[in-house]
C-alpha cells in the first residue's frame, strides 16, 4: 500500500469547513480502493495567521511544504481584515512560485443533477490549461511619481520555455480527451506578447498532427463558452486569460462553488497543490451551509495526478449521483447542509 503525506492548508472562511469534508471523502475512497492511504498534516496558515504573526505563512514555510507529497488547500482571503494582494501573494502565489507549479488545470463540465444557467448547454466538457508562473501576473513593473503625474507599469513577461511547456501539456491532455486544443489569444490588441504566443502555438501544433486546433481571441472565446460550449475541448491560455475563462466555466456549470483546480509541478520535483476555484466566502463561514463539491472534486484531481484514475472517476460519479438525487446546498438551489452533502457522497461511494 502506498502512503501519501499531504500538507493540508484549510486557509480562511469556508476553507476550514470544506477541507475536512473533502478529506472524509478521500479517506473513504482510499479505504475502499485498498491500494493507498493518506497521512494528513494541518498547517494553520492564512489570514488569521497573518493577523497574529504579520505574515501569511512562516519564513520556512516553503521548505516545510517540500517535505510533503502534495498540498491540499482550502480557500484564502479575508478582504475586510487583510488586503487581497497581501493574502494572495503571501500564501497562494508564494507556494505556486516556490514549488514551480507552472501549470494550472481547471475543468468545467455539466454535472448530472445540475441546471446550467445556459439555455442549451449540450453536456459541455471543457478543460482549461492555464500558464501559472508568468504572463500577465509576472511580478515585474513599478510605480513612480505622485498625484497627476503618477505612473503605474505592469509588465507581462512571456518566456518561450513557459509558453511552450503549457501548450505541450494541453496537447498531451487532448490525446486523452476529444482531440482538440483551442488557443486563447489577443494578438489583434497586444502587439508583442500575443503574436509571440501565436507563433509558439503554431510551432508546437506541428508535433501533434493528430490533434485538431483553433486559435480564438479571448473576447470571442468567452462568448463561445456561453453560446456553444459543447464545441470546446481543451483550452490553453495565459495566466490572466485562463483565470477569467475558468471563472466563466464555473458560472456556466451553475456555481463557482463546485469548480476545482490543480496547480501542477509537472516535473514532480516539488509537491503540486490542489485547490477549489471558489473563494473563502466569509459571509457564510461557520454556518455549515457551504458547498463542499468544489473541494471534493479538487480531491478527485489529486487522485488523478497520483495515478488513481479509477478512484477519481468513482468520486466524480458519487458527486453526480448525490446532486442528481437532489441533495444540494443553497447555492445550487437545494436545502442540504455541508454535512448532508458530504455524507451522501460517502454513501454513494
Amino acid at each position: 500500500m502506498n502512503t501519501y503525506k499531504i500538507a493540508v492548508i484549510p486557509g480562511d472562511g469556508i476553507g476550514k469547513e470544506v477541507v475536512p469534508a473533502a478529506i472524509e471523502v478521500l479517506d473513504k475512497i482510499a479505504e475502499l480502493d485498498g491500494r493507498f492511504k493518506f497521512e494528513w498534516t494541518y498547517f494553520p496558515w492564512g489570514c488569521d495567521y497573518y493577523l497574529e504573526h504579520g505574515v501569511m505563512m512562516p519564513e520556512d514555510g516553503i521548505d516545510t511544504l517540500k517535505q510533503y507529497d502534495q498540498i491540499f488547500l482550502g480557500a484564502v482571503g479575508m478582504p475586510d481584515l487583510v488586503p487581497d494582494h497581501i493574502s494572495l501573494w503571501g500564501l497562494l502565489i508564494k507556494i505556486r512560485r516556490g514549488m514551480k507549479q507552472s501549470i494550472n488545470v481547471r475543468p468545467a463540465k455539466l454535472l448530472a443533477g445540475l441546471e446550467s444557467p445556459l439555455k442549451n448547454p449540450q453536456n459541455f466538457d471543457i478543460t482549461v490549461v492555464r500558464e501559472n508562473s508568468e504572463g500577465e501576473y509576472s511580478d515585474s513593473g513599478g510605480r513612480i511619481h505622485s498625484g497627476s503625474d503618477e505612473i503605474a507599469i505592469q509588465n507581462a513577461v512571456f518566456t518561450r520555455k513557459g509558453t511552450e511547456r503549457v501548450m505541450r501539456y494541453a496537447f498531451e491532455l487532448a490525446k486523452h480527451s476529444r482531440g482538440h486544443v483551442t488557443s486563447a489569444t489577443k494578438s489583434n490588441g497586444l502587439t508583442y506578447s500575443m503574436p509571440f504566443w501565436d507563433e509558439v502555438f503554431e510551432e508546437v501544433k506541428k508535433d501533434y498532427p493528430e490533434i485538431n486546433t483553433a486559435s480564438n481571441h479571448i473576447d470571442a472565446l468567452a462568448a463561445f463558452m456561453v453560446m456553444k460550449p459543447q464545441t470546446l475541448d481543451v483550452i490553453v491560455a495565459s495566466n490572466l486569460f485562463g483565470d477569467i475563462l475558468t471563472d466563466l466555466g464555473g458560472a456556466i456549470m451553475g456555481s463557482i462553488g463546485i469548480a476545482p483546480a490543480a496547480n501542477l509541478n509537472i516535473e514532480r520535483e516539488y509537491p503540486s497543490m490542489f485547490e477549489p476555484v471558489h473563494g473563502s466566502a466569509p459571509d457564510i463561514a461557520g454556518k455549515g451551509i457551504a458547498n463542499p463539491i468544489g473541494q471534493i472534486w479538487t480531491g478527485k484531481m489529486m487522485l488523478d495526478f497520483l495515478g488513481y484514475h479509477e478512484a477519481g472517476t468513482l468520486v466524480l460519479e458519487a458527486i453526480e449521483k448525490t446532486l442528481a438525487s437532489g441533495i444540494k446546498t443553497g447555492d445550487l438551489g437545494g436545502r442540504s447542509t455541508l454535512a448532508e452533502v458530504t455524507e451522501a457522497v460517502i454513501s454513494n461511494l
Side-chain angles (χ1 to χ4, degrees):
M1 179 181 290
N2 294 319
T3 300
Y4 297 99
K5 295 168 57 181
I6 310 298
V8 182
I9 308 174
D12 306 311
I14 63 170
K16 297 176 181 179
E17 300 171 79
V18 297
V19 166
I23 286 176
E24 284 186 58
V25 175
L26 290 170
D27 280 340
K28 176 55 67 175
I29 191 63
E31 176 190 332
L32 294 170
D33 186 281
R35 293 176 293 165
F36 62 93
K37 66 178 181 179
F38 297 107
E39 289 183 358
W40 311 96
T41 302
Y42 282 77
F43 295 94
W45 303 338
C47 290
D48 285 336
Y49 189 89
Y50 177 85
L51 293 172
E52 184 176 349
H53 301 280
V55 290
M56 293 292 292
M57 63 190 296
E59 294 263 337
D60 62 350
I62 295 296
D63 289 334
T64 299
L65 293 175
K66 287 178 180 178
Q67 302 172 35
Y68 292 84
D69 296 310
Q70 310 297 337
I71 303 165
F72 200 49
L73 177 69
V76 180
M78 293 174 62
D80 289 344
L81 298 174
V82 180
D84 280 341
H85 70 278
I86 290 178
S87 60
L88 186 67
W89 283 89
L91 184 65
L92 180 62
I93 294 182
K94 188 174 183 178
I95 294 173
R96 286 177 178 173
R97 302 287 166 89
M99 300 299 180
K100 297 183 179 180
Q101 294 166 353
S102 59
I103 306 290
N104 183 281
V105 180
R106 297 182 178 181
K109 72 186 299 286
L110 186 64
L111 297 180
L114 283 191
E115 184 176 344
S116 168
L118 300 180
K119 183 177 181 180
N120 188 17
Q122 297 192 52
N123 293 318
F124 61 84
D125 190 350
I126 304 167
T127 301
V128 178
V129 180
R130 167 191 171 194
E131 204 292 315
N132 206 37
S133 62
E134 52 183 42
E136 302 91 349
Y137 291 177
S138 300
D139 189 17
S140 175
R143 294 170 65 168
I144 59 174
H145 306 313
S146 61
S148 61
D149 293 324
E150 188 170 11
I151 299 171
I153 297 173
Q154 180 76 45
N155 296 316
V157 179
F158 288 77
T159 65
R160 178 169 291 274
K161 180 180 179 180
T163 302
E164 183 172 333
R165 178 172 51 203
V166 71
M167 290 176 177
R168 289 194 180 278
Y169 189 89
F171 276 96
E172 292 294 331
L173 202 62
K175 288 182 179 179
H176 307 286
S177 187
R178 300 193 305 281
H180 192 281
V181 175
T182 300
S183 169
T185 184
K186 191 58 180 171
S187 49
N188 64 343
L190 302 174
T191 54
Y192 297 108
S193 60
M194 285 295 111
F196 170 77
W197 175 277
D198 293 348
E199 290 166 16
V200 177
F201 186 73
E202 289 299 313
E203 293 172 12
V204 170
K205 79 177 188 181
K206 293 176 183 176
D207 293 335
Y208 299 89
E210 74 280 18
I211 304 295
N212 295 314
T213 64
S215 181
N216 297 135
H217 291 142
I218 181 64
D219 40 356
L221 186 53
F224 293 161
M225 284 187 70
V226 173
M227 301 298 292
K228 49 180 183 180
Q230 75 282 358
T231 65
L232 300 169
D233 181 15
V234 177
I235 298 173
V236 63
S238 66
N239 216 330
L240 175 62
F241 292 174
D243 200 3
I244 294 169
L245 289 177
T246 49
D247 274 12
L248 179 56
I252 64 174
M253 282 194 288
S255 171
I256 200 171
I258 62 175
N263 300 281
L264 302 180
N265 173 256
I266 57 174
E267 299 82 7
R268 299 181 188 256
E269 179 184 4
Y270 301 110
S272 293
M273 179 167 61
F274 300 84
E275 50 153 343
V277 175
H278 66 68
S280 58
D283 56 320
I284 62 168
K287 298 180 180 180
I289 59 174
N291 188 348
I293 297 300
Q295 193 78 50
I296 296 171
W297 193 354
T298 295
K300 182 265 188 203
M301 295 187 75
M302 185 168 72
L303 290 171
D304 289 339
F305 189 69
L306 291 171
Y308 301 102
H309 298 282
E310 292 179 5
T313 298
L314 289 174
V315 170
L316 188 57
E317 288 175 352
I319 288 173
E320 292 196 86
K321 188 174 181 181
T322 298
L323 295 172
S325 68
I327 301 176
K328 309 171 188 176
T329 48
D331 59 307
L332 301 178
R335 297 183 177 180
S336 302
T337 64
L338 180 153
E340 289 168 343
V341 172
T342 306
E343 290 167 6
V345 172
I346 291 173
S347 177
N348 286 324
L349 274 178

